[in-house]
Amino acid sequence: MSVEAMEKVKRSDPYIWGIIIILYIVSVVEVYSAISREITGGDVYSPIIEHVLHLFSGFLITYVVSKIHYKWFKALAYVLIPAAIVLLVCILFWGDEIHGAKRSISVLGISIQGSEVAKVTIVLAMATILAKTQIKRGVDIKGVVWVAALVIVFSGLLFTQGLTNTLLFIGISVCMMLIGGVEWYKLGVVFLVYLVLALAVMQAKDLITEIKTSPVLATQEAVMSGDEPSNRVIERSSTWENRLKDFFDPIPEYEKATTPDNLQEHRAAMAMAHGGITGVGPGNSRESSRLPLAFSDYIYAIIIEDLGFVIGGVGLLLVYLMILARAGLIARRCTKAFPALLVMGMAVMIVLQALFNMAIVVGVFPVSGQPLPLISKGGTSIWMMSFGFGVMLSVSRFAVKDTGSDIKSERESDLPEDLQAANPTNLA
């Protein structure tokens, strides 16, 4: 094989790089437009410089990961599973509280959000499990059990942080099991297990609430610290209940007075209404100084205000959907299950999180916290999403099927024996 052919084979997907660059540009412009609430003491540029440094470090992560052969992500999955569990346990007991829940922990002065690490870990683990448990028609029951167990364990450890992470994990697992060829009846059993556990958790929460509020334990409760995990579960569950009640309230939001409880929803709606169809122009946002979390969870509202419904709203949505479309084309060119599951799993994770964020901002979903991938301000989210893009680029570089039979056989021999299962989508 010629040197020119080898170079052609090793080139990562240019379309994914193009999408990354588009997201970087939108991120820098819109975060700068939305950081007015963060500016203190006249230091106008410090927040945006910090964000640009996070994006640059994320770019380096993407570039380095894209150069690593995707076969090594199997070993990384085995390392990340226990590491992520330990991290989430540490956050649960000793983490830093953000917006009413313990979500991060400081390591060497760097704040790490466990939920973002868990998302990448789940995708790597599920891709490995589903690739290793491929059978002639579908996936071995052991693989399905392990995937469901991962969702349950990580959801339990993130329970005090909100329900959207659980819904995201369930969505990722279902999509990856479908891509992996899991039979419908096995998927039905998994859904049933999820439902039973959800009902059990709701019953347990109600029981704990009754016990905690009983007169017998009133004196003990006065002495006990309110920072215990059990207390935080009750506080967060009541928050979720109130948000769901507000969401399903038949009274339209525009008829309700703005209060601290609905300030985010109302200010986000005002920002999007102010932007209209064409927007007010980048940097001209009126609501960025009044909308809480305008630079992170609610940046999509500022994007629509600046760029308008067509370019900022629909245009950005299409950019994220292009990630999924491009991943599908890459997966179609893979001959083996593992790289196909890796690239589709990372794409599903990124796109689902983006859809969750957008749905929350526009009022389709109840209020919760999910950053907009590679756009919202925040270190851990940018780094983990950058890692996900790097995995996709690695697959596009090393796993795509080429017209040359020598190239094809050489790549297949790179994988260990337990990851030699064929692409289950039957599209290759």
Side-chain angles (χ1 to χ4, degrees):
M1 184 170 55
S2 66
V3 175
E4 291 79 12
M6 284 293 293
E7 289 299 322
K8 180 181 178 181
V9 169
K10 291 184 178 181
R11 187 178 300 126
S12 55
D13 189 81
Y15 296 96
I16 294 180
W17 275 117
I19 292 171
I20 293 172
I21 292 171
I22 291 173
L23 294 178
Y24 280 166
I25 294 172
V26 174
S27 180
V28 172
V29 172
E30 293 305 320
V31 167
Y32 184 67
S33 177
I35 58 174
S36 57
R37 291 177 66 97
E38 270 204 325
I39 296 173
T40 57
D43 190 356
V44 178
Y45 297 105
S46 179
I48 191 62
I49 290 173
E50 179 188 25
H51 181 62
V52 170
L53 290 175
H54 284 152
L55 288 176
F56 179 71
S57 59
F59 172 82
L60 293 179
I61 291 171
T62 300
Y63 180 78
V64 171
V65 174
S66 71
K67 298 289 187 180
I68 300 173
H69 195 289
Y70 66 91
K71 67 180 179 181
W72 297 107
F73 298 134
K74 169 193 170 184
L76 182 60
Y78 291 135
V79 173
L80 278 180
I81 291 173
I85 291 175
V86 171
L87 175 64
L88 293 177
V89 171
C90 291
I91 291 174
L92 185 62
F93 288 96
W94 304 289
D96 303 322
E97 188 168 312
I98 303 174
H99 307 306
K102 292 195 173 183
R103 305 176 188 273
S104 65
I105 193 168
S106 296
V107 179
L108 300 177
I110 300 174
S111 179
I112 299 177
Q113 288 200 340
S115 60
E116 301 302 314
V117 178
K119 294 168 190 174
V120 170
T121 302
I122 271 190
V123 173
L124 292 178
M126 288 181 181
T128 303
I129 292 168
L130 292 172
K132 290 182 63 174
T133 55
Q134 292 286 314
I135 54 179
K136 187 174 182 181
R137 293 184 180 275
V139 176
D140 192 345
I141 189 63
K142 292 186 296 183
V144 178
V145 170
W146 276 108
V147 167
L150 278 173
V151 172
I152 293 168
V153 169
F154 280 97
S155 297
L157 291 171
L158 289 168
F159 187 72
T160 60
Q161 297 186 24
L163 292 177
T164 50
N165 286 317
T166 298
L167 295 176
L168 186 61
F169 292 160
I170 291 174
I172 293 171
S173 68
V174 170
C175 290
M176 292 192 69
M177 283 191 284
L178 286 172
I179 296 166
V182 173
E183 300 91 322
W184 285 102
Y185 77 91
K186 293 179 182 177
L187 273 176
V189 173
V190 171
F191 271 120
L192 183 60
V193 171
Y194 288 160
L195 180 60
V196 170
L197 287 175
L199 293 174
V201 168
M202 291 175 62
Q203 291 295 324
K205 184 267 299 180
D206 292 338
L207 179 61
I208 293 173
T209 303
E210 291 179 7
I211 295 173
K212 289 282 183 180
T213 56
S214 65
V216 177
L217 296 179
T219 304
Q220 296 179 8
E221 285 297 306
V223 177
M224 290 173 62
S225 170
D227 195 39
E228 291 186 355
S230 60
N231 293 333
R232 293 199 300 273
V233 169
I234 295 173
E235 292 172 2
R236 293 299 296 171
S237 62
S238 62
T239 301
W240 307 328
E241 289 177 0
N242 292 333
R243 287 176 175 176
L244 289 173
K245 287 178 182 178
D246 291 339
F247 180 74
F248 290 107
D249 191 339
I251 300 175
E253 283 295 326
Y254 59 82
E255 293 185 4
K256 299 178 182 178
T258 302
T259 67
D261 293 331
N262 61 21
L263 181 63
Q264 285 181 320
E265 303 100 288
H266 284 201
R267 292 300 183 193
M270 292 176 188
M272 291 183 286
H274 185 225
I277 300 297
T278 58
V280 297
N284 294 320
S285 170
R286 180 189 67 192
E287 298 298 327
S288 61
S289 61
R290 301 189 291 179
L291 173 61
L293 304 179
F295 51 84
S296 56
D297 294 350
Y298 276 81
I299 195 170
Y300 188 57
I302 304 302
I303 293 173
I304 294 177
E305 184 181 15
D306 281 356
L307 303 179
F309 171 76
V310 175
I311 297 177
V314 178
L316 186 59
L317 173 62
L318 292 177
V319 170
Y320 280 111
L321 293 178
M322 284 172 59
I323 298 172
L324 197 59
R326 195 61 197 170
L329 291 175
I330 295 171
R332 181 178 181 178
R333 298 171 64 192
C334 294
T335 60
K336 298 300 179 183
F338 184 56
L341 287 164
L342 274 178
V343 69
M344 287 303 298
M346 290 299 175
V348 165
M349 176 194 70
I350 294 168
V351 175
L352 272 184
Q353 181 169 321
L355 293 178
F356 271 45
N357 176 280
M358 294 175 178
I360 290 166
V361 171
V362 301
V364 176
F365 281 2
V367 175
S368 188
Q370 285 293 335
L372 195 58
L374 226 58
I375 291 182
S376 292
K377 191 172 183 293
T380 312
S381 176
I382 289 174
W383 297 329
M384 292 299 103
M385 294 301 108
S386 298
F387 180 88
F389 275 111
V391 172
M392 295 172 64
L393 290 167
S394 171
V395 172
S396 73
R397 179 187 297 271
F398 296 106
V400 296
K401 182 174 65 175
D402 196 89
T403 54
S405 57
D406 292 338
I407 298 173
K408 180 178 174 182
S409 61
E410 177 186 347
R411 292 185 184 175
E412 291 178 356
S413 64
D414 285 340
L415 283 177
E417 185 176 351
D418 59 349
L419 293 181
Q420 285 289 340
N423 190 341
T425 61
N426 295 322
L427 294 175

